[in-house]
Amino acid sequence: MSTPFTYNRLSKNDAACLLVDHQAGLISLVQDFSPGEFKNNVLALAASARYFKLPTILTTSFENGPNGPLVPEIKEMFPDAPYIARPGNINAWDNEEFVKAVEKTGRRQLIIAGVVTEVCVAFPALSAREAGYDVFVVTDASGTFNDVTRHAAWTRMATAGVQLMNWFGMACELHRDWRNDIEGLGALFSEYIPNYRNLITSYLAKK
Amino acid sequence: MSTPFTYNRLSKNDAACLLVDHQAGLISLVQDFSPGEFKNNVLALAASARYFKLPTILTTSFENGPNGPLVPEIKEMFPDAPYIARPGNINAWDNEEFVKAVEKTGRRQLIIAGVVTEVCVAFPALSAREAGYDVFVVTDASGTFNDVTRHAAWTRMATAGVQLMNWFGMACELHRDWRNDIEGLGALFSEYIPNYRNLITSYLAKK
Amino acid sequence: MSTPFTYNRLSKNDAACLLVDHQAGLISLVQDFSPGEFKNNVLALAASARYFKLPTILTTSFENGPNGPLVPEIKEMFPDAPYIARPGNINAWDNEEFVKAVEKTGRRQLIIAGVVTEVCVAFPALSAREAGYDVFVVTDASGTFNDVTRHAAWTRMATAGVQLMNWFGMACELHRDWRNDIEGLGALFSEYIPNYRNLITSYLAKK
Amino acid sequence: MSTPFTYNRLSKNDAACLLVDHQAGLISLVQDFSPGEFKNNVLALAASARYFKLPTILTTSFENGPNGPLVPEIKEMFPDAPYIARPGNINAWDNEEFVKAVEKTGRRQLIIAGVVTEVCVAFPALSAREAGYDVFVVTDASGTFNDVTRHAAWTRMATAGVQLMNWFGMACELHRDWRNDIEGLGALFSEYIPNYRNLITSYLAKK
Amino acid sequence: MSTPFTYNRLSKNDAACLLVDHQAGLISLVQDFSPGEFKNNVLALAASARYFKLPTILTTSFENGPNGPLVPEIKEMFPDAPYIARPGNINAWDNEEFVKAVEKTGRRQLIIAGVVTEVCVAFPALSAREAGYDVFVVTDASGTFNDVTRHAAWTRMATAGVQLMNWFGMACELHRDWRNDIEGLGALFSEYIPNYRNLITSYLAKK
Amino acid sequence: MSTPFTYNRLSKNDAACLLVDHQAGLISLVQDFSPGEFKNNVLALAASARYFKLPTILTTSFENGPNGPLVPEIKEMFPDAPYIARPGNINAWDNEEFVKAVEKTGRRQLIIAGVVTEVCVAFPALSAREAGYDVFVVTDASGTFNDVTRHAAWTRMATAGVQLMNWFGMACELHRDWRNDIEGLGALFSEYIPNYRNLITSYLAKK
Amino acid sequence: MSTPFTYNRLSKNDAACLLVDHQAGLISLVQDFSPGEFKNNVLALAASARYFKLPTILTTSFENGPNGPLVPEIKEMFPDAPYIARPGNINAWDNEEFVKAVEKTGRRQLIIAGVVTEVCVAFPALSAREAGYDVFVVTDASGTFNDVTRHAAWTRMATAGVQLMNWFGMACELHRDWRNDIEGLGALFSEYIPNYRNLITSYLAKK
Amino acid sequence: MSTPFTYNRLSKNDAACLLVDHQAGLISLVQDFSPGEFKNNVLALAASARYFKLPTILTTSFENGPNGPLVPEIKEMFPDAPYIARPGNINAWDNEEFVKAVEKTGRRQLIIAGVVTEVCVAFPALSAREAGYDVFVVTDASGTFNDVTRHAAWTRMATAGVQLMNWFGMACELHRDWRNDIEGLGALFSEYIPNYRNLITSYLAKK
C-alpha cells in the first residue's frame, strides 16, 4: 500500500497572500507567459485574495529605480494592505518588517506569487518553508525570463515542500463549495476566464 | 529595379469595420490563441474601431442556437451599429442586408475579423475582394481550430489580395501621427498592451 | 485600389472529391498531425463528401505491398465509387484510368486530399491545375513526415494556384446556407468537432 | 544499492474508476489537448474501464448550470453506474455520497480522470491519498487550461504519491497478459489508437 | 520553362541602412525573439552596416516619452549618421526630413530594420516600395509582439515586393567574395555568431 | 548541510542491457521522437552495449502479429544474445524465462530501453526495482505516443528510484576514462553523433 | 476559372544536382534541424542523385579554413563529380568554373541544397533563376541558424520562382513510376526513412 | 503541517565555482539553447563568479583533440584560476588534481556548469554530492543535445539533492542585498540582461 499522506489543504481562515515585486519594470522582463495572459493571471490572483478576504501583503524592491513602481491595479485593489517597499533586500523574507507583517496575520498558509519566479518568489518561499510555514506558490501569477528558468525554479521549490498551484486551483480550494456563494465565485471566474464567461453567456441566453 | 507597387493604406475616412460571428459558443472553438489573448485582441480591435469612429457592422450566425449570442462586451460598445443576425447564410456577404449595410457606409476599405478564420472571415473577405473592396483582415482578432487551419486560411486570403494585419498595426496605420491625439492613442494602447502600460507607468513615476 | 479578383468558390454541383492513398501503411508515416487528429480529419472529409453527394474517386498505390490497403472506413463509406488501384504510377494523374474517372464526373472543381502531402497530393494537384481544373487541397486531411515538408509542399501548391482549405471550411463553402439542411450539417459537425458537439449538448440541455 | 521499492501495480480486481466532471461546458475549457485527442482519450479510458469491468463512478458539478451535462457518450457507457450530481462540492471527495459509493466498491486502487486537472482531478486524488487509497491519475483523459497549469498539478499530485498514467498504460497494466483475451484487447486498441488499427489492417491484409 | 526573373541583389555601393525605433522602451515589447538573440541581431546588423560603410539613418519615435531613448550602443556606432527624432509620425516615411535624408544618400536599395515589425518596419518599407526603392527587410533585427503578428507582417511586405533577409544573408550578399577582406568579415562573424567563433577558435588552436 | 547521497554509478562490470520490444510495428507508433532520431538513438544504445560487452537480452511481444518482428539491425548486432519472444506477458518481467536470463547475467545494474515507454519500459523497470536491481532507463532509446505520455511515465519511474539517462550519458559513465580506449569510443561517437563526427573531420583535416 | 498553369516537373533526363558547402564546420552551425535528421536528409538527397544518375556538382567555400572540409560521405559518393573548391566567392554562381560545370551538364533543371540556406543555397538559386534555369531547392537537405531565417529565405526564393521540395518528393517526382525499378527505389526509401523500412520489415515477415 | 525544511542557501563566503568543459568543439554540440543565449549565459555566470570573487576552477577534457580549447573569453576572465586539462577522465571528479583544487578552496557549496549537461555537469555533481558537498547546478550555463536529454539529466540530479538554479538566481542569492553594491550588481545585470539594460536606459533618460 502507498505511504501515508496528509492533504495540506488551503483554508480561507488560515491563508495569507504575499504579492512580491509585481513592478512595472520587472514585469517587462517576463517572457514565459504572454503579457496578456500574465496580466490576467496576476489580477485574477489579486481579485481572488480580495474575494476570500485573505490578509494580503504587498512588497516591492527598489521601486524608485529601474524596477519601477508596483502596477497601479494591484495597489488600488489593496489600499489598506501592509506595503513594504524594501530598501535593498532581494529576498523579501530578509526584511524584518515584511516577516513581521506576515506573522501579524497569524496565518500559517502562505500563498506567494511574484516576479521573477526564481528569485522574488523562490527565495521567500524557501525561507518561509524553513520558518515552518505551509507555502503555496501561484505559478501562473509568477513570471520569469523563459521556460528553462521556470522549470528549474519549480523543481527547487517543489523539492522544498512548496505546493505548486495556479490561481484557479487556489480559488477552488479556498472556496470548497459553490453553495458558499455561487454568484460571487461565478463573477470572479467570469471576469478572468473568458471561456467560462462564454459558457455563462450562452447559458443565460437560453433561460 | 523592383516592380511598381502602390501602398494601399488604411485611412480612417475610408475604412469600415466588420465584426463577424464573435459569438460565445463559436469563440469556445478557438484554439489558435489562448482565450485570454484572444479576448484582449477582439476587444482591442473593437475599441480601436470605436476610437477611430469607423462605421462598424455586427453580424451573427444562428445566435439562438448552439453558436450562442454575440459576446456582450461587443454589443455594448456599438449600441447603434447595424446588427445583422443572419438567419442561415454562412458567408455574411451572401446576406443582402449585410452587403447593403456595407455599401451604406460608403467606405471602400473593409477591416474584417471574426470566428472562425477560414469561414466567417475568409468567405466575406474573398467576396468583398471580388466586389472590388480593399480588404484588411485583423489576424489576431480572428480565431480558429488550430495553427494549420489558420495558416491555410491566411494563404488563401493573401493570394486573393487581402492584406493581413494585427489590431495594433491597423490602429497605427489609421492614426498616422501621434500628434493627432497623443492621449487618446496612449490610453488605447495602455488598456490593451500590458507592457505598454508598464512603460507608461514607469515613465510617469519618474517625471 | 486593389487588383481585380474572382472568388473561385466551391459548389456542390461542380466539385468532385479525390482521396489519394489513405493506406494503412502510408498513414503510419504521417507525423505532422497526431494520429487521432488525422484520422478524425480524414473521416470528416469523407463524410462531408458523402453528405454533399460529391462524386468521389478512391485510388491507392501498391496496396498489396508495404503501403498497405486503403483504410477500411473509407472503403465502406464509398462502396460504389471508382476505385483505382494504381499498379505503379506515383502521380495518380499519370494513370489514365484515374484521369478518365475524373473526367467522367464532369466536374471542374477538384477537392484533393491524401498521404503524403508533397507527393500523393501535390503531384496530382499540380497536374490537375495544368489540365485546367480548379484545385482545392484539404490540408488537414493530408499528412506527411513533418512540418517543414508540409510547409514546402503548401508553398509549391499555392504558387500553382491551388487553394488551401481545411475540411470544415470546405464543408461550409459547399453548404452555403444553414437553411439548406440544418440538422444534416449539425450532425456532421457534431460527429467530427468535439467542442461543437459540446455546444449542442449544452444547448439542448437548456431547452 | 538502491533503496527498497514496492511496485504498486494496478489490478483489475482491486481497481475502481472515478470519472469526474467530464461535462460539455467544462470540456470546452480544455486547451492542453486538442479537442479530438482529448475526446478520444476520455472515451478510451471509459471503454477500458468497461472492458475490465471496473466498478465505475460518475460525478458532475452543477450540471444544470453553465458547466453543462455529462457528455452523453459516457452516460451511455455506464447506465448502471453510481451517478452523483454534486450540488456544490468542488472536491468530489467532500461529497459523502461520492465517498460512500467509492467505499462500497471495496476497491483500494482508484483510477481518476476528469476536468479540470488541477481541481476536479487533483482535489479528490489528494483526498483519496489521505484516506489511504492507492491513486492512479489518467493524465491524458484529464484536461485543463494550458501546459503550465497541468505541469504544476502533476507535480503536486506526484509529490503526494499519486501515480501518473496514461489510459494505454493503465489498460496494459490491468490486462497483464495478452493471452487473457487477445481479441478483446486488440479490439479496444484498434478502436482508440489509429496507428494500431493500421498495423492490424496491414497485418490482416497479408495473411 | 520558368518565368523570367531578375535577381535584385544587394550592392554595397547602392545600399543604405535605415534603423527605425530601436528604443529602450519599445524593445521591451518584443517577444518574438529572446532578448539576448534580438540584441545580438540588432548589433550585428549595425556592425555590418558600419563595416560595409553603408550610409545609415537613425530615427526614433517620441524618444522623450515611454518609448524611451535609442539604445546607446547604436547611437555610439553611428555618431555622424543623420538622426531624426520624429515628433509624431508613426510611419518614418511620413517625415519629410527622414525621406530627404534617404534621398541624400543617393542609394536605391534600402535595408530596413526596426521595432515593431508590423508598424515601424512595414510602414516605411511599403512607402519606400511605392516610391520605387528596392527594399530589403532584415527580419531578425526587427521584433514584435509574437509570431502571429510577425508572420502577418512578413506576408504583407513580401506581397509588396519587399525582400526578406537576415543580417547574415545581408552581410554575405554585400560582401560577395571573402577575398575582398577575409579578416574583416571573419571578425564580424566571430563577434556575432558564437558557433562561428568556436570554429575559428578550434581552427586556430590546431595551426 | 545536504542529506547524504550515494552515487549509484554504472559500471561495465555490473551492468546488463535489456532491449524490450523494438519491433517494426510498435516503433511506427512512436511520435515523441522523429523517426530518424529514434532509429539513431536505438542503434547507438545497441552499439554501446556491444562496445562495452554488456550482457544483453532481447525480448519481443507477439512478434508474429501486428506488433511485427524485432528490427533486423538489432537482431544482427546480438546474434548470440538470449532472445525471448514472449507469448503474451505485457510486462517482460512477468516472463520467467526473461527473469532467469537476467539473473543469469549476474549483474545488478539493469539498463532498459524499449517501445512504448510507459508499458514495455516502465513495467519491467518497476518490477526490477522491486526485485532490488539498480535500474537505468535510456530515455532517448525509448519511445511512445507523445510528450505528455512520456512525461508521465518518467515521473512514475523516477519516483520509483529509476535513474533516467540518455545513451550518450550511459556510454560516458560506463567508459569512465578516454584513455581506456580513445579510438573505440571516438568511433562510437562519430558514428552516432553527426556533429561530433564533424568535429573530428575538421580536426583531422587540420593536422 | 483558375489562371493557366504549367507544371514544371522534375525529369531525370533534364535535372542536375548541386551540393553546396556541406562542410563539417558549416554544418555545425545548423540549428533548424536536429543533427541526426539533417545528416539523414543530406545523405538521402545524395543517394537519390546517385540513384537517378543525375549529373552532380560539388562545391565548397574555404575548405581549408574554419568552414572545414566537405563531409567525407558525400565526397565518397561522388568520386568523379566536378568538385569546385571556391577560393572566395560566397555565391557559387559567381565562380566561373562552377557555372561552366553546370552548363556542361546540359541540364535545365537544377536541384540545389546546401548550408546555410539563406546564403549558400539562396544566392546560387536566385542567380540560376536569373540565368533562366528551373530551380528546385531541397529544403530538408539545406540548413541554417533557426526557423525564422529559414522562413525568410524560403519566401525570398519562392517569390523568385524557385520550387521548394523535400528529398522524398524530389525522388518520387524523378522516378514517376514504381515499375521503373521497384527494388531500387524501395531500397533507397528503406535506407533513409526508418518507418518505411519498418513497413517493409513487417510486410516481408508475413509473406 | 508541512515537513521541516532547511533552506540551503548560497553564500559568497562558502561557494566555489566549477566551470567544466566549456570548450569550442563541445559547445558546438549544444542544441537546447540558441548559441547566442548560451554564450550570454555562460559569460554571465563567469562574470558573476568573478564579481563575487568566488574561488573558480577551470577544467577541460582532451583540449588538444576535437573537443577543442576552452573558449578564450573564460580563460581571460580567470587568468589565475586553477586550470586542470584532464588527460582522459570524463568525470572531472575522477581527476585527483581537480578534487584537490576543490578541496583547497575550503568551500562546501559547489556551483557547477558545463557542457554537456548529462555528463560533464551531472557526473561531477553526483560525485560531489556523494562527497558531502552542497551542489548547485547553473542550468542555463549548461548545455546539451536536446530538451529530452536535459530533462532527464535534471531529474537525475534533482533526485540526488542537487539544487537547480539559473545564473540570475545564483547571483541574486549570493548578493542578498542590493545595498551591498548597487552599482556593481546593476552593471552585471545590465551587461547580460538586455531588457534590464533597457530599463536602466529609460530610467536614466528621465532623471
Side-chain angles (χ1 to χ4, degrees), chain A residues 32 116-119 143-155, chain H residues 33 41 139-140 150 154 164-169:
Chain A
D32 64 332
V116 300
T117 310
E118 75 273 24
V119 173
T144 185
F145 301 103
N146 51 54
D147 289 10
V148 173
T149 292
R150 177 176 67 206
H151 188 179
W154 284 19
T155 302
Chain H
F33 293 93
N41 293 342
T139 54
D140 54 355
R150 178 176 66 205
W154 284 19
L164 304 178
M165 312 279 290
N166 60 335
W167 78 263
F168 179 73

Side-chain angles (χ1 to χ4, degrees), chain F residues 66-85:
Chain F
N67 293 353
L70 186 64
V71 292
E73 293 94 331
I74 292 185
K75 220 168 196 160
E76 287 157 19
M77 289 170 88
F78 302 98
D80 304 323
Y83 182 105
I84 292 101

Side-chain angles (χ1 to χ4, degrees), chain E residues 182-204:
Chain E
I182 296 179
E183 274 194 25
L185 195 69
L188 184 71
F189 291 171
S190 177
E191 181 70 15
Y192 297 106
I193 309 176
N195 275 350
Y196 204 82
R197 172 180 298 221
N198 287 334
L199 289 176
I200 293 176
T201 298
S202 287
Y203 176 72
L204 295 178

Side-chain angles (χ1 to χ4, degrees), chain E residues 24-25 27-28 34-37 39 64-66 68-73 190-191 194-195 197-198 201-202 205-206, chain H residues 24-25 27-28 34-37 39 64-66 68-73 190-191 194-195 197-198 201-202 205-206:
Chain E
I27 286 177
S28 77
S34 78
E37 287 300 324
K39 177 187 169 189
N64 297 321
L70 186 64
V71 291
E73 293 93 331
S190 177
E191 181 70 15
N195 275 350
R197 172 180 298 221
N198 287 334
T201 298
S202 287
K206 288 294 94 194
Chain H
I27 286 177
S28 78
S34 78
E37 287 299 324
K39 177 187 168 188
N64 297 321
L70 186 64
V71 292
E73 294 93 332
S190 177
E191 181 70 16
N195 275 349
R197 173 182 297 222
N198 287 334
T201 299
S202 288
K206 288 295 94 195

Side-chain angles (χ1 to χ4, degrees), chain E:
Chain E
M1 217 181 72
S2 299
T3 53
F5 167 75
T6 305
Y7 180 6
N8 195 334
R9 194 172 177 177
L10 276 171
S11 156
K12 62 187 165 192
N13 300 317
D14 199 24
C17 181
L18 316 182
L19 300 180
V20 186
D21 302 353
H22 288 105
Q23 296 166 253
L26 293 176
I27 286 177
S28 77
L29 302 177
V30 171
Q31 301 243 350
D32 64 333
F33 293 93
S34 78
E37 287 300 324
F38 190 63
K39 177 187 169 189
N40 185 66
N41 293 342
V42 171
L43 295 183
L45 166 58
S48 300
R50 203 167 58 169
Y51 172 73
F52 291 107
K53 299 193 173 53
L54 304 185
T56 297
I57 298 170
L58 309 178
T59 182
T60 57
S61 156
F62 259 137
E63 65 181 23
N64 297 321
N67 293 353
L70 186 64
V71 291
E73 293 93 331
I74 292 186
K75 220 167 196 161
E76 287 157 19
M77 289 170 88
F78 303 98
D80 304 324
Y83 183 104
I84 293 102
R86 308 192 310 280
N89 322 274
I90 294 177
N91 181 347
W93 207 267
D94 285 345
N95 182 291
E96 272 188 47
E97 192 187 352
F98 181 80
V99 175
K100 276 185 192 155
V102 172
E103 288 168 350
K104 204 172 153 197
T105 66
R107 304 292 175 102
R108 299 304 301 166
Q109 296 182 326
L110 302 183
I111 295 166
I112 308 180
V115 173
V116 299
T117 309
E118 76 274 22
V119 172
C120 308
V121 176
F123 290 3
L126 297 176
S127 291
R129 282 287 297 114
E130 187 168 58
Y133 288 88
D134 296 330
V135 179
F136 302 78
V137 160
V138 182
T139 53
D140 54 354
S142 301
T144 185
F145 302 105
N146 51 55
D147 289 11
V148 173
T149 292
R150 179 175 67 203
H151 188 181
W154 284 20
T155 301
R156 196 184 191 205
M157 292 191 285
T159 303
V162 171
Q163 297 198 52
L164 304 178
M165 312 278 291
N166 61 333
W167 78 262
F168 179 73
M170 178 206 71
C172 288
E173 193 155 305
L174 287 166
H175 199 64
R176 301 269 169 110
D177 195 310
W178 273 93
R179 290 166 296 189
N180 289 331
D181 175 13
I182 296 179
E183 274 194 25
L185 195 69
L188 184 71
F189 291 171
S190 177
E191 181 70 15
Y192 297 106
I193 309 176
N195 275 350
Y196 204 82
R197 172 180 298 221
N198 287 334
L199 289 176
I200 293 176
T201 298
S202 287
Y203 176 72
L204 295 178
K206 288 294 94 194
K207 284 215 292 201

Side-chain angles (χ1 to χ4, degrees), chain D residues 60-61 84 88 92 110 145 160 194:
Chain D
T60 57
S61 156
I84 292 101
L110 302 183
F145 302 104

